[in-house]
Each structure stands twice: as structure tokens, then as C-alpha cells.
């Protein structure tokens, strides 16, 4: 194994036996804090395991150190990529760490400048408006034209002598609304710029910034990317993830029950065992329920204009589900419902299936008439809807005549076992959406804007 | 089984047994053994997860006790069960001439106990390797029961009392990630993710398992399989065992290089589903695969 003596764990120079135990402990704890900031769950017992493991390997061998920490702290394949990047950034050479610190300080100075710039602009009658740090940074990141527009508006209100202090809350809400609009439009760009809550350790904050910057270029975490932004070259990886998740979903909903107190079928083995205490006389009978039929799946995907950005995900979701489960009826809808099951069951490649589907369908990018589509499902495909049917809907809920849609959704719910709704609308927009509020009263709705959302929803569904 | 545990020992033994792997596998296994923790191996099917348990048993010259996970697996099938038929027979035979108390004590003794894999692993008087295969297929209730057993390596049988392992078994759990395992179980394990091998490693594997295959054929097979695995539309990726089978088939057919027609004729050795074979023919084809395997330059 190649020696890498230039590497010391998280800032401490050390040799195998010379490192103070407390320094190793402190660095492992700091490293765990960095991993936790990336959403990795690490318990105290895992930390103890990591410390014990480090006594068994040579700390001067970077590879051994990495394997020991990985084996004890990481328990999910999807966390490996974040772990790898964090390890490289945390156990980097002093030169690289210095570079990380410099970049971090530079970023902090820029943020402070941005905040100051916003504070100078957002005043009313000589007093600063009550804006959050995030809002100030959003302002500083706006295109010059928009900045000028906001400044003009503020100077106009400032100039009007008739407006007294009571106008201030109103002005603040106008400004906040405008900034919120831009925040949504520039989400990706701002996401990299906005400061994260501090980890209480400036050096660690700098390392975390370096790790996250790594994810921003090339090694992005697909799980947390808005699904319509997933790049074409990342599609195979995304598709593999979707397939795995589809398998998780199918396993959950096909899980069957075993034993029951209901009198259905005699469980001879249990009966004999429980009656041994009565000398073998069959005094108490034990039953087992008949194995439940695997549920029938019906998948309905929205391919209307508002969902067009998510087409790629929707198609992969249908393809992924069809590739792991045989018995599934698939539909797409916009202004009308269209059955597409046959396209996905011919054992063709993804590209061939999609080309055929898109060429043969008129549904793409139309308006959303959920009520009409659901009515069509109930009336024309009623035979598919049974008491063991689970309906999966993938849609952003944006539809016309949503009250009619609610009625149809209720009708559908009464006919099937369960309706699961995967909503591609970002979670933060749910509060403002009437349709989300209304539909979620009837069906179980899960956010599905990123693959991570989908994964969380599936973990929730699979208990 | 009192072998001194060291990474070098594992490295040597794994190599002797033809299990070609990276340092990650060696060090993780070594740590699991040192910390006396189960090792949880996740990864796609066919990367050698189960094989590792077999190799460990071979390395320590001990018995491999296997528990196959499946939906519906419960304590009775995993831990122990009373031999009811035998107990009933004994009741009938002894009805007339034995005291009830004496009979009861006799009925609930080890003679009437059917040991299942977990109990067997705990009761064996030497250290064994316990393989709990495809643990993700078990129900969550069973998983909860399992991590209790794996924490203390002891089980309570109401009629007999607590049985504690004399030698803590080497436990290997495998999972294909079909279901997320509970945090409790994962916390108790050392974790290893096994992925498909790189071309270089697969060349080493083929050389170890099918030494008759020539240098060129070995390299072309490894490259071809790697190329097939990289195709997202191939649903069941060829496993390492299938790579070896393919190499053996090609050797049996006296070929020293890959040929397009030969690939087509032996396709069913490494692609076992009609859909995947169709995808292969539509998207890759024998000739193109041979070309890629010879050039060694992939997309």
C-alpha cells in the first residue's frame, strides 16, 4: 500500500502511535459533524465503532483510514459519494486546506458586501426595512435592470410625503414578495450562494463549502437535484435510481400478510404447538389467513403543459415501474386520458418505447383536465379498478375545474384500495396551492420534486 | 478456529481461495472481525456478496451456516422449533407409566429441539460463519428480532432458559437493497458496498478462475462484460459468475479471441432474459461488442 505521509487527519500532524488520543477523537467527531451536515445519520455507537476501528488500522495510510471510517460511519450506498468528497476535503493536505479557508473568507466577505449593499437600498424614512439575510443576498444577486427597478420604486415611495410610517409593513411585504419571486426564478444559482447555518467551527464551515462546491460541479448529488434539471448525461444514473425506487415501492405494496385470528384456514402446525399443553388434544384452533392477492397497480401520469419539464422523469418512472412489475396499467393524461400500457410491455429499450409513445400520442403538453381524465378512467376502464387496486398519480395538481376533479377523485377513491399521489410541485409551494390543499384532503400526497423526495416518500410508504 | 486475525492473513487466504478483491473488502472484513461485529454487504446481485461468506468459512476452516432471507421468514424457521411429532409420540408412549412432571421436563429438552440456523450458530462449540443471505427480503418484524440476536448472541427459550454463544460467530449479512434496512440493524454492523469489478479486477478474476483462457481473450471478455453492464437498458447486468461461465464456454469452444458470431451464439450464458437479449441485439450486437472489446475504448 502506498504511503501518504503528507496527509494528517483534519489538521493534526501525526504518526501511528504519536497522535494524542484526544486529537483523533476530536477529529473524528468533527468529521462526523461534517457528514451529519450532509444529512448522513451517525449514532453515538457508530462513532465509538469508528474510534475503535481507528485503533486497528494505520493512521498514516490514508486509504486504511478512509476504509475504517467508511465501514463504520456510512451505512447507505447513496451516502458514499458525499462521504468520499467529505473525506477528501477534510483530510486534505495543509495547502489545500489553506485554499479552502481562503475561498471561504472570500465568500464571506462577498456576502457581507452584498448584505451591506441591500441594507443601504432598503430604507424607508431613514429606517432599514426588516429583511432577512437571504433576502438581502437575493437582492444583491439580481440583474442590474431589476435592481434599478426596485431602487426606483423605493425612491418613489420615499419621495411621497403623504406616506407615513404605517406604510412600512406594506412596503416590506411588497419588497419581500418581489424578492421571493426572484428567489424562485434563480433558485439554483442562489442555492450555491446562500450561506448555510454555521457548524460552529469556521474551519469546518470552509470544508463544508468545499464539499458542496464539489457537488456543484460534476459530482452533483442527483438525489437532491430538481428532476427537470437533471442533465442528459446523468439520465442513466437517474434512471437506475428510479428503477431501484420503483422496486422498493412494488415490494411494499405487494407485501402479504400471514397469520390471522380470523377463521379462514386452519394452521395445523400452530394448532398442534399451542395444544401440546392440553396433552395433544386439539382444544384451541389456530388459523392463518389466505395469502392476499398482490395488488393491481394503476399508474396515471400528468403530461400536460405544466408538467412538460418533468416529462423525462415521468416517462422513466412509468418505464421503471413497468420493468419491475408485470401487472400494471399505465395511463397518461393532459386534456384527456390515454392508456399506454401496451407501449411499455413489449420488452423494448427505453428510447424505442418513448419514440413510439410520443409519436403515437396527442396528449403531450396539452391543458390539464384532471376531472375529465379521472371520469374517463372510471367510466371506460372501470374493470381495472378493484378493491385491491392501488392508484399512483404523478402530477403537479395544476388543473382546471379542480372542484370537479375533487368529486371524481373521491369517486375513484371509493372504488380502489388506495391512491398515492406523487407531486412534482416543490414542497415550499404547496402552502400557496389551492389544488394541493384540496386534493391532499382526499389522497395521500408525497412531494416528488427531487429523487431524494421520491426516496423519502418511498421510505415513508415502506415504513 | 484460533487463527490470528490480521489483514495480511485475510489477503493471503482470499487470494488462495481465488476471491479477488480490493483493499476495501480486506480491511472492512478485518475490522468486522476485530470489532466482533456483523458485516453487512450491500450491492447489486452477482458481485460476490454470498461468495465472501463462503470464502471466510474456508479461510478459517470452519462451518458455514446459512439462513436464506425471504418474505415470511420467522423465528420458528430461523431460531428453533420444538419437534411436535416426536413430543406427541412421546406423550402417547409415556402416558401410562410416567409422572406428568417428569414427562414435561423430558419433553422440553434438547432432544426435542429442532435447531434452526441461528440457534445452531450460537450452540456450535466452535466459531462458525453465519451467513444471513438477502436480509432485505425478510419482514421488518424479523429484522427487529434479528438485531436483538446479533447484539447479544444469546437467545432465550422459555422452557430451557438463556443460551449464550460460547464463540461469537462471524456474521455476514447480504442485501440487494430491495428494501431499506432499519437503522437499528445497520448500526450494529460494519458496512461494505460491493459493486461490479473494474475491467482490471475482472481480468484478475478470470485469470484466477479460468486460467486456460488466453491473455487476449480474458481482456476482451472483461471489457465486453463491462461494456454491457454500462448499458442502462440491460436490466439484469451480467454477474461475475456469468462472466466466468462465459469464459469457460469460450474456452470449451476453442476460441482464443472474441468473434461476433460466437458472442451471438453464447449470449444466453450472460444475458438470461429475453428482454435483455433483445436489447443487446437492437442496441449493441455481437460485432460491435467485439469491436469495443478489442479497442477498449468505450463511450
Amino acid at each position: 500500500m502506498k504511503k501518504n505521509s503528507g496527509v494528517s487527519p483534519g489538521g493534526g500532524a501525526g504518526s501511528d502511535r504519536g497522535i494524542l488520543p484526544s486529537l483523533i477523537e476530536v477529529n473524528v467527531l468533527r468529521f462526523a459533524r461534517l457528514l451529519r451536515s450532509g444529512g448522513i445519520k451517525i449514532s453515538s455507537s457508530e462513532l465509538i465503532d469508528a474510534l475503535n476501528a481507528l485503533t486497528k488500522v494505520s493512521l498514516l495510510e490514508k486509504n486504511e483510514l478512509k476504509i475504517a471510517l467508511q465501514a463504520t460511519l456510512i451505512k447507505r450506498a447513496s451516502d458514499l459519494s458525499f462521504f468520499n468528497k467529505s473525506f477528501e476535503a477534510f483530510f486534505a493536505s495543509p495547502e489545500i486546506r489553506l485554499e479552502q479557508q481562503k475561498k471561504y473568507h472570500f465568500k464571506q466577505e462577498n456576502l457581507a458586501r452584498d448584505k451591506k449593499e441591500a441594507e443601504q437600498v432598503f430604507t424607508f424614512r431613514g429606517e432599514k426595512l426588516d429583511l432577512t439575510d437571504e433576502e438581502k443576498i437575493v437582492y444583491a444577486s439580481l440583474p442590474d435592470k431589476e435592481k434599478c427597478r426596485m431602487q426606483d420604486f423605493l425612491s418613489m415611495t420615499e419621495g411621497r410625503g403623504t406616506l407615513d410610517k404605517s406604510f412600512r409593513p406594506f412596503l416590506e411585504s411588497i419588497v419581500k414578495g418581489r424578492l421571493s419571486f426572484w428567489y424562485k426564478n434563480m433558485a439554483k444559482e442562489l442555492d450555491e450562494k446562500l450561506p448555510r447555518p454555521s457548524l460552529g467551527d469556521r474551519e469546518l464551515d470552509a470544508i463544508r463549502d468545499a464539499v458542496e462546491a464539489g457537488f456543484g460541479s460534476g459530482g452533483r448529488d442527483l438525489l437532491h437535484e430538481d428532476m427537470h434539471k437533471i442533465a442528459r448525461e446523468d439520465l442513466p444514473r437517474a434512471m437506475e435510481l428510479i428503477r431501484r425506487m420503483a422496486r422498493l415501492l412494488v415490494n411494499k405494496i405487494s407485501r402479504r400478510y400471514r397469520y390471522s385470528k380470523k377463521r379462514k384456514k386452519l394452521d395445523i402446525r400452530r394448532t398442534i404447538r399451542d395444544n401440546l399443553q392440553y396433552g395433544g388434544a386439539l382444544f384451541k384452533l389456530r388459523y392463518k389467513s389466505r395469502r392476499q392477492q398482490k395488488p393491481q397497480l394503476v399508474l396515471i401520469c400528468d403530461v400536460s403543459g405544466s408538467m412538460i419539464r418533468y416529462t423525462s422523469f415521468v416517462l422513466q418512472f412509468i418505464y421503471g415501474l413497468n420493468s419491475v412489475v408485470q401487472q400494471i396499467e399505465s395511463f397518461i393524461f393532459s386534456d384527456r386520458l390515454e392508456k399506454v400500457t401496451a407501449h411499455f410491455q413489449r420488452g423494448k429499450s427505453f428510447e424505442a418505447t418513448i419514440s413510439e409513445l410520443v409519436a403515437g400520442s396527442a396528449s403531450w403538453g396539452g391543458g390539464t383536465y384532471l376531472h375529465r381524465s379521472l371520469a374517463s378512467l372510471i367510466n371506460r376502464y372501470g374493470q381495472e379498478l378493484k378493491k385491491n387496486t392501488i392508484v399512483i398519480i404523478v402530477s403537479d395538481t395544476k388543473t382546471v375545474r379542480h372542484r370537479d376533479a375533487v368529486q371524481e377523485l373521491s369517486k375513484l377513491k371509493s372504488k380502489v384500495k388506495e391512491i398515492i399521489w406523487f407531486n412534482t410541485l416543490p414542497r415550499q409551494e404547496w402552502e400557496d396551492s389551492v389544488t394541493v390543499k384540496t386534493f391532499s384532503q382526499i389522497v395521500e400526497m408525497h412531494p416528488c420534486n427531487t429523487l431524494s423526495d421520491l426516496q423519502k416518500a418511498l421510505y415513508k410508504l415502506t415504513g | 478456529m484460533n487463527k490470528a486475525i490480521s489483514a495480511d492473513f485475510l489477503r493471503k487466504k482470499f487470494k488462495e481461495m481465488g476471491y479477488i478483491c480490493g483493499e476495501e473488502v480486506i480491511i472492512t472484513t478485518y475490522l468486522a472481525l476485530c470489532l466482533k461485529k456483523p458485516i453487512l454487504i450491500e450491492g447489486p446481485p452477482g458481485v460476490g456478496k454470498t461468495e465472501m461468506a463462503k470464502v471466510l468459512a474456508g479461510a478459517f476452516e470452519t462451518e458455514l451456516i446459512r439462513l436464506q432471507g425471504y418474505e415470511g421468514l420467522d423465528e420458528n424457521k430461523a431460531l428453533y422449533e420444538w419437534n411436535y411429532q416426536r413430543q406427541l409420540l412421546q406423550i402417547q408412549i409415556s402416558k401410562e407409566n410416567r409422572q406428568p412432571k417428569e414427562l414435561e421436563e423430558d419433553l422440553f429438552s434438547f432432544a426435542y429441539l429442532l435447531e434452526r440456523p441461528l440457534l445452531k450458530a450460537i450452540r456450535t462449540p466452535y466459531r462458525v460463519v453465519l451467513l444471513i443471505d438477502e436480509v432485505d427480503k425478510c419482514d421488518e418484524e424479523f429484522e427487529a428480532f434479528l438485531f436483538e440476536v446479533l447484539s447479544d448472541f444469546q437467545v432465550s427459550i422459555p422452557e430451557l432458559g438463556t443460551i449464550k454463544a460460547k464463540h461469537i460467530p462471524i456474521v455476514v449479512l447480504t442485501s440487494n437493497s430491495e428494501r431499506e434496512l432499519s437503522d437499528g440493524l445497520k448500526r450494529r454492523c460494519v458496512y461494505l458496498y460491493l459493486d461490479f469489478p473494474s475491467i482490471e479486477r475482472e481480468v484478475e478474476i478470470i485469470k484466477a478462475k479460468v486460467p486456460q483462457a488466453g491473455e487476449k481473450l480474458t481482456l476482451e471478455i472483461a471489457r465486453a462484460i463491462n461494456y454491457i453492464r454500462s448499458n442502462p437498458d440491460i436490466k439484469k447486468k451480467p454477474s461475475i459468475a456469468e462472466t466466468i461461465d462465459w469464459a469457460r464456454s469460450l474456452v470449451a469452444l476453442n476460441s482464443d479471441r472474441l468473434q461476433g458470431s460466437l458472442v451471438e451464439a453464447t449470449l444466453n450464458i450472460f444475458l438470461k432474459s429475453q428482454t435483455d437479449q433483445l436489447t443487446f441485439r437492437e442496441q449493441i450486437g455481437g460485432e460491435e461488442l467485439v469491436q469495443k472489446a478489442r479497442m477498449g475504448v468505450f463511450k
Side-chain angles (χ1 to χ4, degrees):
Chain A
M1 197 181 295
K2 200 184 157 197
K3 291 256 178 193
N4 193 342
S5 53
V7 175
S8 60
S15 69
D16 259 47
R17 302 184 205 294
I19 298 174
L20 290 170
S22 60
L23 184 60
I24 300 174
E25 282 165 22
V26 167
N27 277 315
V28 170
L29 286 172
R30 290 175 74 221
F31 184 57
R33 210 186 314 156
L34 175 66
L35 294 177
R36 281 174 178 151
S37 76
I40 296 175
K41 282 193 227 166
I42 298 172
S43 69
S44 308
S45 67
E46 284 164 325
L47 272 175
I48 294 168
D49 285 346
L51 289 169
N52 285 333
L54 292 187
T55 63
K56 307 288 178 192
V57 296
S58 165
L59 295 180
L60 290 182
E61 301 284 0
K62 193 179 178 186
N63 195 34
E64 284 191 21
L65 175 70
K66 186 178 177 184
I67 295 170
L69 291 174
Q70 182 180 311
T72 47
L73 299 179
I74 301 299
K75 307 289 167 76
R76 245 186 211 178
S78 56
D79 291 339
L80 282 171
S81 130
F82 188 81
F83 170 84
N84 287 333
K85 287 202 164 54
S86 301
F87 183 87
E88 291 309 325
F90 189 85
F91 294 94
S93 64
E95 298 78 39
I96 295 177
R97 283 207 310 278
L98 194 67
E99 195 60 33
Q100 289 169 356
Q101 296 293 326
K102 274 186 193 165
K103 277 187 188 165
Y104 179 71
H105 289 308
F106 181 68
K107 191 180 166 187
Q108 292 302 313
E109 279 169 15
N110 277 346
L111 287 176
R113 206 185 50 230
D114 285 354
K115 278 191 256 178
K116 205 172 170 189
E117 181 194 342
E119 279 164 11
Q120 283 167 353
V121 171
F122 292 109
T123 56
F124 180 65
R125 299 278 177 261
E127 283 181 29
K128 288 177 187 170
L129 294 186
D130 188 17
L131 298 179
T132 63
D133 283 354
E134 281 76 18
E135 285 164 340
K136 290 172 194 169
I137 293 162
V138 172
Y139 169 77
S141 312
L142 292 179
D144 287 342
K145 202 175 159 188
E146 182 59 24
K147 276 186 187 170
C148 288
R149 200 176 293 164
M150 287 189 99
Q151 284 167 14
D152 289 348
F153 171 69
L154 286 162
S155 56
M156 195 176 73
T157 53
E158 192 78 57
R160 285 197 181 173
T162 50
L163 296 174
D164 61 11
K165 283 190 175 180
S166 63
F167 181 69
R168 189 181 145 162
F170 181 63
L171 179 63
E172 275 174 358
S173 83
I174 294 173
V175 168
K176 280 172 184 278
R178 197 72 202 145
L179 291 173
S180 161
F181 167 81
W182 279 102
Y183 175 70
K184 281 175 194 165
N185 276 283
M186 299 165 64
K188 196 180 175 190
E189 188 186 319
L190 285 166
D191 216 34
E192 286 164 18
K193 202 171 174 185
L194 289 173
R196 306 277 183 275
S198 172
L199 296 170
D201 176 337
R202 285 179 73 82
E203 192 187 3
L204 212 51
D205 285 340
I207 296 172
R208 184 185 51 185
D209 262 27
V211 174
E212 289 182 352
F215 270 98
S217 59
R220 277 175 300 102
D221 185 3
L222 284 182
L223 281 174
H224 298 92
E225 187 86 89
D226 187 327
M227 276 185 287
H228 81 267
K229 290 178 191 160
I230 292 175
R232 193 172 173 78
E233 64 270 19
D234 287 331
L235 281 180
R237 264 179 70 209
M239 196 159 163
E240 187 52 40
L241 277 169
I242 290 172
R243 267 189 213 154
R244 275 180 63 188
M245 290 179 198
R247 212 172 292 133
L248 267 178
L249 180 67
V250 169
N251 279 350
K252 178 262 169 180
I253 51 191
S254 66
R255 203 145 278 241
R256 290 167 284 175
Y257 298 96
R258 284 167 288 128
Y259 300 108
S260 163
K261 286 182 182 169
K262 287 181 190 166
R263 298 183 175 202
K264 284 181 180 170
K265 194 178 171 190
L266 195 65
D267 185 339
I268 294 172
R269 186 168 276 270
R270 287 194 156 217
T271 304
I272 293 176
R273 185 168 58 219
D274 288 359
N275 286 284
L276 274 177
Q277 54 185 314
Y278 307 114
L282 301 183
F283 187 69
K284 274 185 185 171
L285 298 181
R286 290 282 177 259
Y287 301 91
K288 65 179 166 188
S289 65
R290 193 178 297 164
R291 286 204 155 217
Q292 283 199 347
Q293 294 267 311
K294 287 208 173 198
Q296 177 77 36
L297 285 180
V298 170
L299 179 62
I300 310 170
C301 294
D302 185 347
V303 293
S304 63
S306 65
M307 283 286 289
I308 209 81
R309 297 184 304 168
Y310 294 97
T311 308
S312 173
F313 158 70
V314 169
L315 289 171
Q316 281 170 29
F317 192 71
I318 307 178
Y319 190 78
L321 264 184
N322 274 278
S323 64
V324 292
V325 64
Q326 300 290 320
Q327 298 261 310
I328 183 163
E329 293 295 345
S330 308
F331 297 88
I332 53 172
F333 76 92
S334 55
D335 49 1
R336 63 196 173 87
L337 188 79
E338 192 177 336
K339 189 172 177 178
V340 293
T341 309
H343 293 286
F344 289 93
Q345 290 185 338
R346 290 176 195 159
K348 287 188 178 172
S349 70
F350 181 69
E351 277 77 14
T353 307
I354 300 316
S355 316
E356 190 186 285
L357 182 63
V358 175
S361 166
S363 300
W364 305 96
T368 320
Y369 292 80
L370 180 62
H371 67 287
R372 197 190 290 165
S373 303
L374 290 179
S376 167
L377 177 74
I378 295 166
N379 299 331
R380 284 172 58 200
Y381 303 101
Q383 72 280 5
E384 315 284 2
L385 308 172
K386 297 172 194 148
K387 281 291 167 198
N388 69 338
T389 302
I390 293 179
V391 177
I392 300 169
I393 301 177
V394 183
S395 167
D396 59 2
T397 73
K398 289 178 185 169
T399 178
V400 294
R401 292 174 62 181
H402 75 274
R403 285 198 177 80
D404 293 337
V406 167
Q407 280 184 4
E408 295 300 332
L409 204 57
S410 303
K411 261 193 236 172
L412 178 64
K413 200 188 175 191
S414 68
K415 289 182 182 296
V416 299
K417 184 180 173 190
E418 196 178 354
I419 302 176
I420 302 169
W421 191 309
F422 289 122
N423 188 349
T424 54
L425 199 66
R427 188 73 177 83
Q428 62 269 24
E429 290 176 33
W430 284 23
E431 273 299 305
D432 307 327
S433 164
V434 180
T435 48
V436 172
K437 281 182 192 160
T438 327
F439 295 151
S440 56
Q441 285 171 1
I442 304 169
V443 300
E444 197 181 338
M445 196 172 281
H446 301 274
C448 186
N449 184 244
T450 63
L451 288 174
S452 170
D453 283 343
L454 180 63
Q455 195 178 43
K456 277 185 206 151
L458 296 185
Y459 288 154
K460 204 170 157 193
L461 282 167
T462 51
Chain B
M1 190 186 64
N2 283 321
K3 308 271 180 206
I5 300 167
S6 73
D8 283 338
F9 167 78
L10 289 174
R11 223 170 266 129
K12 184 172 157 257
K13 284 289 176 184
F14 278 29
K15 197 174 178 189
E16 274 172 21
M17 302 188 70
Y19 190 79
I20 312 294
C21 59
E23 273 303 292
E24 201 177 320
V25 176
I26 301 287
I27 305 281
T28 307
T29 311
Y30 165 68
L31 288 174
L33 295 172
C34 289
L35 303 177
K36 295 197 167 75
K37 293 246 166 197
I39 176 164
L40 168 63
I41 313 177
E42 278 194 320
V47 291
K49 300 187 293 290
T50 306
E51 188 63 23
M52 209 186 97
K54 293 180 190 167
V55 169
L56 267 177
F60 288 100
E61 293 162 19
T62 189
E63 193 181 343
L64 173 74
I65 297 175
R66 183 175 178 159
L67 174 65
Q68 176 64 45
Y70 58 89
E71 192 185 321
L73 176 65
D74 60 12
E75 291 170 50
N76 295 326
K77 288 160 196 156
L79 193 58
Y80 74 93
E81 200 165 13
W82 290 106
N83 190 338
Y84 307 116
Q85 291 86 344
R86 205 168 165 199
Q87 283 174 324
L88 279 173
L89 276 174
Q90 187 59 37
I91 291 167
Q92 297 304 324
I93 294 166
S94 315
K95 236 178 194 172
E96 306 299 323
N97 48 17
R98 289 185 69 180
Q99 291 296 317
K101 176 96 178 144
E102 188 193 340
L103 176 62
E104 191 186 327
E105 277 172 13
D106 183 37
L107 280 178
F108 292 104
S109 62
F110 281 109
Y112 295 89
L113 197 68
L114 293 173
E115 275 183 352
R116 302 295 188 215
L118 288 180
L119 185 61
K120 196 177 171 196
I122 285 174
R123 284 196 67 214
T124 307
Y126 47 87
R127 197 179 190 192
V128 295
V129 174
L130 170 65
L131 165 66
I132 304 172
D133 215 1
E134 301 190 351
V135 69
D136 52 328
K137 292 212 168 103
C138 302
D139 300 304
E140 282 124 48
E141 303 83 39
F142 180 75
E143 201 184 304
F145 156 76
L146 197 61
F147 69 69
E148 272 185 42
V149 175
L150 297 180
S151 307
D152 307 327
F153 290 102
Q154 64 175 37
V155 289
S156 288
I157 301 176
E159 298 85 352
L160 293 173
T162 303
I163 301 169
K164 204 170 164 89
K166 281 184 184 163
H167 297 273
I168 291 180
I170 299 169
V171 184
V172 178
L173 297 112
T174 73
S175 162
N176 291 332
S177 315
E178 284 197 5
R179 176 172 72 77
E180 177 83 349
L181 299 175
S182 71
D183 288 341
L185 182 67
K186 287 194 282 192
R187 221 175 15 244
R188 282 162 176 82
C189 299
V190 164
Y191 181 82
L192 174 66
Y193 183 78
L194 272 188
D195 209 344
F196 285 112
S198 61
I199 295 175
E200 295 74 29
R201 182 138 301 138
E202 201 145 28
V203 165
E204 283 182 63
I205 295 171
I206 300 169
K207 275 184 185 169
K209 299 282 182 187
V210 197
Q212 310 90 315
E215 197 83 19
K216 283 181 182 163
L217 181 65
T218 301
L219 181 62
E220 284 174 10
I221 290 172
R223 281 174 176 170
I225 291 289
N226 187 277
Y227 184 68
I228 292 167
R229 283 185 195 135
S230 69
N231 186 315
D233 290 324
I234 300 283
K235 284 169 198 155
K236 164 77 181 67
K237 314 277 183 219
S239 67
I240 298 174
E242 283 160 343
T243 308
I244 294 165
D245 285 346
W246 194 33
R248 284 192 180 129
S249 312
L250 294 173
V251 168
L253 294 168
N254 294 322
S255 59
D256 54 357
R257 300 293 297 265
L258 277 188
Q259 306 287 340
S261 56
L262 210 55
V263 171
E264 298 280 355
T266 53
L267 198 59
N268 53 349
I269 310 273
F270 56 91
L271 290 178
K272 303 275 171 65
S273 88
Q274 203 193 351
T275 319
D276 283 342
Q277 289 180 12
L278 198 68
T279 307
F280 175 84
R281 290 199 172 100
E282 275 177 5
Q283 293 187 25
I284 307 171
E287 290 302 334
E288 191 191 319
L289 185 71
V290 171
Q291 204 186 340
K292 296 275 182 195
R294 289 196 177 165
M295 306 266 292
V297 183
F298 301 159
K299 57 184 173 178

